[in-house]
Amino acid sequence: MRTTVFVVEEPGGDFVQTEVELDDPREDEVLVRVVATGLCHTDLTVPTMLPPEMLPTVVGHEGTGVVERVGAAVSGIEVGDHVVMSFRSCRSCGPCTAGDVGYCEQSLLLNYMGMRADGSTTMSRTGADGQQQTVFGSFFGQSSFARHAIAYADNCVVVDKSLDLTRLAPFACGYQTGAGTVLNVLDPAPDEPLVVFGAGAVGLAAVAAARGRGVETVVVVDPAAPRRAVAEGYGATALDPTEPGAAPVEERVREATGGGAAYAIDTTALPAVVLQAQHALRSRGLLVALGLGAAEYTIDAIDLLQSGKVVRSSIEGEADPLVTIPELIALREAGKLDVDHLVATYPFEKIADAVADSKAGAVVKPVLVWGE
């Protein structure tokens, strides 16, 4: 079928609207008419890393929509279902069978290589020379910067049709990662302070989950005043790391938390900030680094060895989308995960504005929406 997508034509290039031919769904695939897709930092970062031979490509991995066709081998999903599309996993390797689907042995192939597991691609278009050109996709098993997406039973979460798919899109990755890290990795007690570096969607979802969980002291560090204001709305202490004449950030965090945070989350992927996060911890504190970007971090080994601190990462907040997304939506419905106000919607054709506003810190979570 013919459909509209937004492609990246060259490494680090802009998103360009174009028409492609999308395959019919195979027996294990699901065709989804996309309603809304969250714009995530990963959608901006990954295309800058791709070699030219993997372009043009369609990204987008926080898609929601309505199922239009279902392959014969798919169970549990029906035409007309509303779904949230998240990351893929094989569901059969060692990590998957142990419940650690974020660490699937086939994750790179299923989520990042631009093709199906058998090496075939789902999209093509007619090039300027009149020849058929491969368009890479299958990003997180969806490539949902598109009017239609091919997805799978392992990454489609069926949701109640009464829920607003525009508000649910960020649960596919950003909210799942931030809130999942708090709930699945940290599991903080009310008296265990948390500091979050970076008040984007991931960071603020972590704040929302912590506050909903009853954590009494939450500190947020971000240079963007609008995002600090949102953090303060949750009852967090918000610090500007660029404030002239202020004490070093780690000292200010230690003061705000009564000697250091029990837990820290970094969403910035900035090496200097990760080091600040380590120094902001109390003895035996835990830092979880979530940001994607820098190839290397600097860790203070002396501080680490003398304090018993732990520095680790987490993929998608240790979540299984088929389990975690319904759990988080239930918390939202119960008023214990207050995230709806983080969304700013844009028509898909305004994707450049969404990118610019996100980079400037003017909005927290851009969500791209298709018109009728």
Side-chain angles (χ1 to χ4, degrees):
M1 65 175 293
R2 194 162 183 81
T3 194
T4 303
V5 302
F6 284 82
V7 299
V8 177
E9 305 276 8
E10 57 187 15
D14 295 333
F15 295 105
V16 178
Q17 183 173 334
T18 189
E19 298 291 312
V20 299
E21 289 295 330
L22 180 68
D23 281 3
D24 290 335
R26 295 181 177 180
E27 64 173 13
D28 63 337
E29 295 176 339
V30 178
L31 176 66
V32 178
R33 175 176 57 81
V34 177
V35 171
T37 307
L39 174 67
C40 179
H41 180 70
T42 303
D43 297 312
L44 306 180
T45 303
V46 169
T48 69
M49 301 176 175
L50 295 176
E53 57 268 25
M54 290 182 65
L55 297 170
T57 192
V58 180
V59 292
H61 65 288
E62 292 185 340
T64 60
V66 180
V67 175
E68 291 198 337
R69 293 177 62 183
V70 178
V74 174
S75 61
I77 301 173
E78 299 179 354
V79 171
D81 280 346
H82 289 198
V83 294
V84 175
M85 294 178 283
S86 189
F87 67 90
R88 289 209 66 199
S89 54
C90 75
R91 302 277 165 174
S92 60
C93 68
C96 281
T97 56
D100 301 320
V101 298
Y103 303 91
C104 173
E105 293 174 356
Q106 301 299 317
S107 181
L108 184 64
L109 174 60
L110 295 177
N111 293 290
Y112 292 101
M113 297 305 293
M115 60 190 71
R116 296 182 175 102
D118 65 1
S120 64
T121 53
T122 61
M123 291 177 284
S124 64
R125 68 178 178 183
T126 303
D129 59 359
Q131 300 298 311
Q132 283 299 107
Q133 177 189 35
T134 295
V135 176
F136 293 91
S138 300
F139 191 62
F140 281 61
Q142 57 184 280
S143 286
S144 53
F145 282 176
R147 278 193 177 271
H148 296 85
I150 296 288
Y152 299 83
D154 61 80
N155 73 326
C156 277
V157 180
V158 178
V159 297
D160 192 295
K161 293 179 181 179
S162 68
L163 300 177
D164 183 352
L165 290 174
T166 300
R167 303 293 165 179
L168 296 189
F171 283 86
C173 180
Y175 294 172
Q176 178 173 243
T177 299
T181 297
V182 170
L183 301 177
N184 300 332
V185 182
L186 306 183
D187 191 21
D191 62 350
E192 292 182 311
L194 166 68
V195 58
V196 177
F197 288 80
V202 174
L204 288 172
V207 173
R211 295 294 289 162
R213 186 71 170 270
V215 176
E216 297 162 359
T217 302
V218 178
V219 180
V220 174
V221 181
D222 196 286
R227 291 184 173 184
R228 292 198 305 274
V230 175
E232 290 172 341
Y234 285 113
T237 298
L239 302 178
D240 179 1
T242 64
E243 182 180 341
V249 168
E250 51 265 51
E251 291 184 17
R252 295 158 66 192
V253 173
R254 288 197 293 267
E255 180 180 358
T257 56
Y263 303 108
I265 295 173
D266 175 74
T267 69
T268 71
L270 299 173
V273 176
V274 173
L275 187 59
Q276 288 176 339
Q278 178 192 341
H279 288 157
L281 291 171
R282 63 177 59 168
S283 293
R284 302 185 71 185
L286 169 62
L287 163 62
V288 184
L290 298 177
L292 175 66
E296 296 181 348
Y297 292 147
T298 298
I299 299 299
D300 184 341
I302 294 176
D303 174 63
L304 199 69
L305 295 171
Q306 291 182 341
S307 66
K309 296 176 182 178
V310 176
V311 178
R312 62 160 292 181
S313 65
S314 173
I315 296 178
E316 296 282 347
E318 310 299 288
D320 178 344
L322 300 183
V323 176
T324 303
I325 290 176
E327 290 177 345
L328 295 180
I329 292 173
L331 288 175
R332 169 187 180 263
E333 295 302 292
K336 295 181 179 180
L337 189 64
D338 180 17
V339 289
D340 280 9
H341 64 292
L342 303 182
V343 167
T345 60
Y346 296 77
F348 246 102
E349 60 267 23
K350 298 292 186 181
I351 189 170
D353 293 343
V355 171
D357 289 349
S358 179
K359 288 182 175 179
V363 298
V364 174
K365 187 62 185 184
V367 172
L368 303 161
V369 181
W370 288 107
E372 294 299 326

